[in-house]
Amino acid sequence: MLAAILSLGFIGMIAAFALGLAAKKFAVEVDPRELAALESLPGVNCGACGFPGCAGYAKALVSGTVDLNLCPPGGADVVVKLARILGVEASAAAREIAVVVCQGDNRRAQVRYHYLGLEDCTAAQRIAGGPKTCPGGCLGLGSCQRSCPFDAIEMTADGLAVISREKCTGCRKCVAVCPRNVIRMTPYDATVHVLCNSHDKGAVVRKYCQVGCIGCHICQKTVPGAYKVDNFLATVVYEHSADADEAIAKCPTKCIRDFTTGYPDGSSLTPAVPEKPHAA
Amino acid sequence: MCAAHDRLTEMKLKTFAGGIHPPDNKQWSAHKAIEDCPLPAELIVPLAQHIGAPAVPCVAVGQQVFKGQEIGSAKGFVSVPVHAPTSGEVVAVENRPHPWGTSLPAIVIRADGEDCWSPELEPADPGELSPEEIVEKVRQAGVVGMGGAAFPAHVKMSPPPEKQIHTLIFNGVECEPYLTADHRMMLEEPERILQGVALLQFVLGVERVVIGIEANKPDAIALLTEMCAGTPVEVIPLEVKYPQGAEKQLIAAVAGREVPSGGLPMDIGVAVHNVSTAAAISDAILDGRPLIERICTVTGPAIREPKNLRIRIGTLLSHLVDACGGLAEEPGKIVLGGPMMGFTQLGFDVPATRGTSGLLLLRHEDVPLHPEGPCIRCARCVQACPMNLLPTTIGAYARRDLISEAAEYRALDCIECGSCGYVCPAAIPLVQAIRYGKAAILAKKRKA
């Protein structure tokens, strides 16, 4: 009994000594700024900055070769913190959020075949170009929803992705995963968007969607400068979109929407009232 | 024929490991002689009909073209030109519905009814041509693999010099259920096939030539065996099993060799061509005629009169239906090609292409939709897979976007034959999942 305690205790002491020595000898110098930077990053590892996770970005930050404002989920607060840690001047990038530019759910837009396969938009898109007749419309199988690290995307009952303005951090994961490029990055302050992604001619769009842009130019004529029509599709010119909401009532297919007054029909999301001012 | 059939059933037939036995349903059209489909008033010739870069239009709207005149030129090595299927006027060069499901560039020709061959096309004497000249003529004639994949034939005819081809296999298997186009071609036009066989043999300088035919075509086996007697061409009957006509499975059955993972048949000194491709090559050289028509089986329970038709490339499917007495009832599914690997169509407003081996019209009751259930780990897909893969594992990885794991399980070796999905009792869309994984693997490779 005693012999066992002694011998094990002796072995333990030697091992502890060896470990202590090894820890000193092979210690890895970590820049304390890197640890601090990692601490201040959100830690969701979304990859929006282009580095392998938050740790990768923290490491790159310390090397001093990258901008401080590459973390959209962190927003302005993180930029301020990072600037303090690294001792440099920096300003936050303007906040951008993702918007699904489509309102054609399975009720409003024509579905051309019955799809019974993988619940994945990319997989569906590979079958004859997707089950929606519209070549640009939201397929509604929720690939973006599953990719969102912030739970910011809602799929409506009729198969349309809607992104919450409050929860979206602008990490662009959904933009990368959408096979139809129907998700756009837009300035957070712009609340009026043309919700259509079809470049087909008006007569063609009318055949397959009740709420598609027909390229009639009325919005452009109503608020000159705030809209441009390119290849039968109107888009908001976000730099000059202060009065863009004046065209909403004039749009014959109701494809322009102001997100401060309401999200697309079928969505349970409601605009935050009053709009939270965002520290930019 | 009966004696031949008995002999076939007694023999131990060659085949591959795995595979399935779907009902072959060839009785609808196997006994129907090839008929010429009436010339439609308008032909829509897609510029993308083959694997590789689409052709580039080389005619203008309003231009008069002759039958067989080049209207789209090849772009790059893995590409072939397309030709006017009849004489007439080019009325449009624009996007039109394509069998691939989207609108793609096509040349629309209004037939003038003369059906007048281009005077520039001239037959050649194969004895005076070098192998290179033959390959070039085949390319100019736009010959592609006629089994359905439509891979440009001249690419397979010009292997790099270090890869010596020693076995040339002709594919007369036609393992897709319902289809009988190759069967009728072997019965009615064996001379065309054998001329093409001789030409390919000459071009590739091959000793051993084999024609593989599934044993459910005893008449074709008997006829070709008789015609090949005294020549180096051997006709081998093969077990009736799907996918016996897939390139790698045919090689396994006939040559007893396996194409290495990620490799090509030419890596083991084998080249495989469809019997119909051989006939098209014969036309291209001996008659100087480009590939503007093919045999297409119009069949299925929803068509009034199943037929084997000789159709012009660019004929609308609706015209094929009319040529077969119209619809017996509203089809539940329209498939271009066979039921296993064919492409389901959204309507009849798409043209037949060079790869259109069949038009299959199924009724609603033939295509019940089963919602997907959970995998019960029965491994039937594993037994059925002719490539010795684990479809359920690869599919599960692909669905979870575990792309490198799917690649490790050799997802890229999948030939998308559909055997796994056919036997799956849970109706899991295995092929779709694996295809999705394959696309992701290839995208990742391109990025790297």
Side-chain angles (χ1 to χ4, degrees):
Chain A
M1 174 74 183
L2 189 69
I5 290 172
L6 281 178
S7 59
L8 273 178
F10 183 69
I11 292 171
M13 263 164 65
I14 291 194
F17 187 69
L19 275 173
L21 217 64
K24 274 257 158 60
K25 191 166 163 62
F26 301 112
V28 180
E29 280 286 316
V30 182
D31 193 327
R33 292 179 303 162
E34 189 182 324
L35 289 175
L38 181 56
E39 193 88 339
S40 59
L41 287 169
V44 274
N45 294 324
C46 66
C49 53
F51 292 94
C54 296
Y57 185 39
K59 198 168 185 180
L61 278 169
V62 173
S63 74
T65 50
V66 292
D67 285 335
L68 268 59
N69 55 11
L70 296 182
C71 179
D77 306 347
V78 166
V79 176
V80 172
K81 279 188 202 164
L82 290 176
R84 203 176 300 140
I85 293 163
L86 300 167
V88 291
E89 291 280 313
S91 58
R95 184 179 175 194
E96 283 199 328
I97 57 165
V99 173
V100 178
V101 287
C102 176
Q103 292 189 101
D105 56 22
N106 292 336
R107 216 155 34 84
R108 293 188 194 83
Q110 194 185 60
V111 177
R112 56 183 186 151
Y113 63 84
H114 180 54
Y115 178 73
L116 230 180
L118 299 192
E119 277 287 303
D120 183 278
C121 300
T122 311
Q125 174 75 8
R126 288 174 56 80
I127 296 182
K132 278 255 167 80
T133 311
C134 173
C138 173
L139 290 174
L141 293 167
S143 290
C144 52
Q145 186 194 32
R146 287 185 289 276
S147 78
C148 180
F150 304 97
D151 197 20
I153 304 181
E154 181 201 18
M155 298 305 303
T156 69
D158 290 312
L160 179 73
V162 182
I163 303 179
S164 158
R165 282 174 55 79
E166 278 62 51
K167 286 186 181 171
C168 178
T169 63
C171 75
R172 296 166 195 254
K173 275 209 143 172
C174 53
V175 177
V177 88
C178 179
R180 295 198 139 193
N181 296 324
V182 69
I183 308 180
R184 300 269 165 73
M185 295 310 295
T186 59
Y188 178 78
D189 299 326
T191 58
V192 179
H193 305 287
V194 178
L195 299 183
C196 183
N197 191 33
S198 168
H199 281 290
D200 282 334
K201 287 180 186 166
V204 181
V205 172
R206 271 192 190 283
K207 272 190 196 143
Y208 59 64
C209 186
Q210 300 167 15
V211 285
C213 174
I214 53 172
C216 66
H217 290 80
I218 289 179
C219 53
Q220 200 182 20
K221 283 172 198 150
T222 311
V223 193
Y227 293 92
K228 68 170 191 287
V229 181
D230 190 19
N231 205 358
F232 309 105
L233 177 63
T235 43
V236 178
V237 181
Y238 292 113
E239 297 82 42
H240 311 289
S241 64
D243 302 323
D245 55 338
E246 284 167 30
I248 293 174
K250 297 272 176 69
C251 176
T253 58
K254 302 279 168 259
C255 65
I256 309 175
R257 181 170 285 274
D258 184 344
F259 277 73
T260 52
T261 59
Y263 281 91
D265 299 347
S267 166
S268 67
L269 297 171
T270 45
V273 190
E275 275 280 293
K276 262 190 274 174
H278 193 266
Chain B
M1 183 188 134
C2 205
H5 188 261
D6 288 347
R7 224 175 21 252
L8 286 176
T9 47
E10 278 164 28
M11 275 164 65
K12 176 123 180 58
L13 294 167
K14 292 189 171 183
T15 190
F16 60 97
I20 54 170
H21 294 94
D24 78 357
N25 284 322
K26 297 194 191 251
Q27 71 279 8
W28 297 89
S29 55
H31 56 284
K32 302 273 181 72
I34 299 168
E35 273 179 46
D36 284 331
C37 179
L39 190 65
E42 202 173 72
L43 289 141
I44 296 159
V45 188
L47 288 161
Q49 295 188 40
H50 47 265
I51 292 178
V56 185
C58 59
V59 286
V61 175
Q63 192 177 330
Q64 292 291 326
V65 290
F66 287 111
K67 180 180 178 183
Q69 185 181 333
E70 188 171 305
I71 53 176
S73 21
K75 196 184 170 198
F77 178 62
V78 187
S79 180
V80 283
V82 294
H83 304 84
T86 185
S87 59
E89 186 192 346
V90 177
V91 289
V93 181
E94 61 188 18
N95 283 10
R96 287 292 178 103
H98 189 283
W100 296 346
T102 48
S103 280
L104 289 171
I107 294 172
V108 186
I109 294 173
R110 187 181 298 137
D112 59 8
E114 305 280 319
D115 208 20
C116 171
W117 279 102
S118 165
E120 288 168 22
L121 300 171
E122 275 182 11
D125 180 2
E128 289 174 3
L129 294 173
S130 70
E132 290 75 27
E133 284 168 331
I134 293 180
V135 173
E136 177 55 20
K137 275 186 175 292
V138 167
R139 192 191 66 80
Q140 282 169 5
V143 180
V144 295
M146 308 279 277
F151 188 78
H154 68 274
V155 181
K156 282 207 249 179
M157 289 167 76
S158 27
E162 70 273 15
K163 288 182 182 157
Q164 182 59 41
I165 305 292
H166 53 70
T167 306
L168 183 56
I169 302 173
F170 286 89
N171 190 343
V173 177
E174 201 162 50
C175 61
E176 274 273 5
Y178 289 97
L179 302 188
T180 53
D182 290 349
H183 183 189
R184 292 312 306 184
M185 162 88 82
M186 288 188 282
L187 279 183
E188 296 179 44
E189 292 159 7
E191 303 83 12
R192 280 175 70 206
I193 296 173
L194 293 178
Q195 282 157 358
V197 168
L199 282 166
L200 274 162
Q201 193 184 358
F202 168 67
V203 168
L204 292 167
V206 182
E207 297 275 303
R208 181 160 188 242
V209 182
V210 176
I211 303 178
I213 305 175
E214 230 175 32
N216 59 0
K217 297 178 254 301
D219 44 356
I221 297 172
L223 179 67
L224 284 177
T225 310
E226 191 189 312
M227 291 187 73
C228 294
T231 69
V233 182
E234 186 190 356
V235 178
I236 296 187
L238 299 163
E239 191 184 318
V240 182
K241 189 162 76 170
Y242 179 87
Q244 183 62 73
E247 194 171 58
K248 286 164 189 163
Q249 282 58 40
L250 182 60
I251 294 171
V254 169
R257 297 199 58 182
E258 191 178 320
V259 179
S261 173
L264 292 169
M266 64 170 74
D267 294 335
I268 55 166
V270 179
V272 182
H273 289 272
N274 192 279
V275 285
S276 300
T277 316
I281 289 172
S282 149
D283 293 352
I285 306 298
L286 300 179
D287 302 329
R289 291 180 178 179
L291 176 55
I292 55 162
E293 58 183 21
R294 67 157 298 138
I295 318 286
C296 170
T297 305
V298 184
T299 182
I303 191 93
R304 193 153 280 154
E305 200 185 335
K307 279 182 183 176
N308 295 297
L309 292 175
R310 190 186 310 278
I311 59 162
R312 298 288 167 89
I313 308 303
T315 309
L316 283 184
L317 301 189
S318 49
H319 188 78
L320 300 185
V321 172
D322 293 343
C324 293
L327 294 169
E329 63 179 275
E330 190 58 35
K333 203 169 196 177
I334 308 162
V335 185
L336 267 195
M340 297 299 298
M341 288 186 80
F343 288 90
T344 303
Q345 300 301 312
L346 298 163
F348 290 113
D349 60 343
V350 295
T353 66
R354 287 164 173 166
T356 304
S357 45
L359 169 61
L360 172 60
L361 298 161
L362 298 168
R363 297 165 300 182
H364 281 282
E365 65 247 49
D366 300 320
V367 283
L369 291 172
H370 300 289
E372 187 187 345
C375 174
I376 57 168
R377 319 288 294 164
C378 65
R380 277 189 225 176
C381 57
V382 179
Q383 280 165 6
C385 181
M387 293 303 290
N388 300 321
L389 305 175
L390 305 178
T392 174
T393 310
I394 298 173
Y397 277 138
R399 293 175 91 149
R400 284 158 187 76
D401 279 314
L402 296 170
I403 300 309
S404 356
E405 285 81 355
E408 235 169 77
Y409 278 78
R410 297 196 293 136
L412 287 181
D413 281 355
C414 170
I415 57 168
E416 302 175 15
C417 67
S419 298
C420 50
Y422 181 84
V423 295
C424 181
I428 298 173
L430 286 163
V431 183
Q432 197 200 1
I434 298 173
R435 266 191 197 151
Y436 171 74
K438 283 170 77 173
I441 295 169
L442 292 174
K444 206 172 166 185
K445 268 193 183 167
R446 269 197 300 275
K447 229 187 245 175

